[in-house]
């Protein structure tokens, strides 16, 4: 099983690694078999699984069974559970209570939360002090999309503030840090400043790792964002397959004799 120490060692060796989202058993098994060291059960399930417009409506009750399915289906991957909006903002005790649920009820190996406010930093310290590994997230933080004015690149106007926030999260105890939609030169500076791994998404190739939402990476999303590379077109494959199945049923060629029982 991949551990946070393994990830720290990869940074020391200068070896890059990949992270993907996963929301259920099938993709978890496949990505684990592919050797993806970290799987994120993200609140991105909101707009990639539940049909929401963004991540904000996602609840703890909705994410728990998804994390459970992923955790039960892996042999090597480290499973990180997103703490959804509203489940940790009140302070360290709420963050701890939510994280304990993800650990006890779904088998998560770590949790992720967004931002670097004073409250968030205190929550990170509380969680780490309780034995719960925490992944941080800076730049475009989707749970704050309304405050940020939309899905825009972050850090251009005040790059030093983002660097200081990253350093504060490292000091608080996060084992890794997601940098989303950050200028590539700034992401590289942060990566070189920190001793913990950085994970880029729309942050250039100077980070220690890269993460993509799996539906973007493999072509299920109708209009994938600029930051994603489409490695397969599963949407077209599924569409073609569904049409072939329907046609075979309509013309009576499915099921055949070999697919029937006497």
């Amino acid at each position: 099983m991949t551990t946070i120490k393994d990830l720290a060692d990869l940074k020391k060796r200068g070896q890059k690694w990949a992270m993907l989202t996963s929301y259920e058993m099938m993709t978890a098994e496949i990505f684990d078999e592919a050797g993806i060291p970290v799987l994120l059960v993200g609140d991105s399930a909101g707009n990639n699984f539940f049909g929401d417009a963004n991540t904000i409506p996602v609840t703890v009750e909705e994410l728990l069974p998804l994390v459970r399915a992923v955790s039960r289906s892996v042999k090597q991957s480290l499973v990180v559970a997103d703490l959804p909006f509203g489940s940790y903002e009140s302070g360290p005790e709420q963050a701890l209570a939510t994280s304990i649920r993800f650990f006890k009820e779904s088998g998560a190996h770590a949790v992720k939360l967004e931002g670097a406010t004073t409250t968030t930093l205190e929550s990170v310290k509380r969680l780490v002090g309780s034995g719960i590994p925490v992944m941080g997230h800076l730049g475009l933080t989707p749970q704050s999309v309304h405050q940020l004015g939309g899905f825009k690149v972050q850090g251009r106007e005040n790059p030093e503030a983002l660097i200081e926030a990253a350093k504060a999260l490292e000091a608080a105890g996060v084992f890794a840090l997601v940098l989303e939609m950050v200028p590539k030169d700034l992401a590289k500076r942060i990566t070189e400043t920190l001793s913990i791994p950085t994970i880029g998404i729309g942050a250039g190739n100077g980070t220690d790792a890269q993460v993509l939402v799996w539906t973007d990476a493999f072509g299920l999303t109708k209009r994938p964002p600029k930051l994603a590379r489409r490695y397969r077109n599963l949407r077209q494959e599924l569409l073609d397959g569904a049409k072939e199945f329907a046609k075979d049923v309509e013309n009576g060629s499915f099921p055949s004799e070999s697919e029937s029982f006497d």
Side-chain angles (χ1 to χ4, degrees), residues 72-222:
R72 287 176 174 175
S73 305
V74 301
K75 296 179 179 178
Q76 297 298 325
S77 300
L78 178 78
V79 178
V80 181
D82 248 336
L83 298 188
F85 180 72
S87 71
Y88 64 93
E89 286 85 353
S90 293
E93 295 310 312
Q94 185 194 26
L96 179 60
T98 303
S99 299
I100 287 173
R101 290 199 66 190
F102 275 111
F103 266 60
K104 291 180 69 68
E105 297 178 35
S106 67
H109 308 136
V111 298
K112 181 174 77 66
L113 44 72
E114 296 182 1
T117 65
T118 300
T119 302
T120 302
L121 294 172
E122 289 302 316
S123 294
V124 171
K125 293 175 184 177
R126 185 77 169 90
L127 295 179
V128 173
S130 300
I132 298 175
V134 181
M135 178 180 287
H137 188 150
L138 290 176
L140 174 67
T141 46
Q143 293 175 8
S144 304
V145 65
H146 296 309
Q147 184 181 41
L148 297 174
F151 293 91
K152 302 176 181 178
V153 175
Q154 301 296 309
R156 286 173 173 161
E157 295 181 359
N158 192 357
E160 297 303 322
L162 200 61
I163 294 172
E164 291 305 311
K167 290 164 66 175
L169 281 167
E170 179 179 38
V174 299
F175 71 89
L177 178 62
V178 173
L179 297 172
E180 182 168 357
M181 290 184 68
V182 173
K184 61 183 181 179
D185 291 342
L186 177 56
K188 188 172 187 293
R189 282 182 62 193
I190 293 172
T191 300
E192 292 170 348
T193 299
L194 303 183
S195 61
I196 59 172
T198 58
I199 306 161
I201 177 166
N205 62 7
T207 54
D208 298 302
Q210 298 291 332
V211 61
L212 284 176
V213 173
W214 87 263
T215 50
D216 292 339
F218 303 121
L220 283 183
T221 308
K222 283 185 177 180

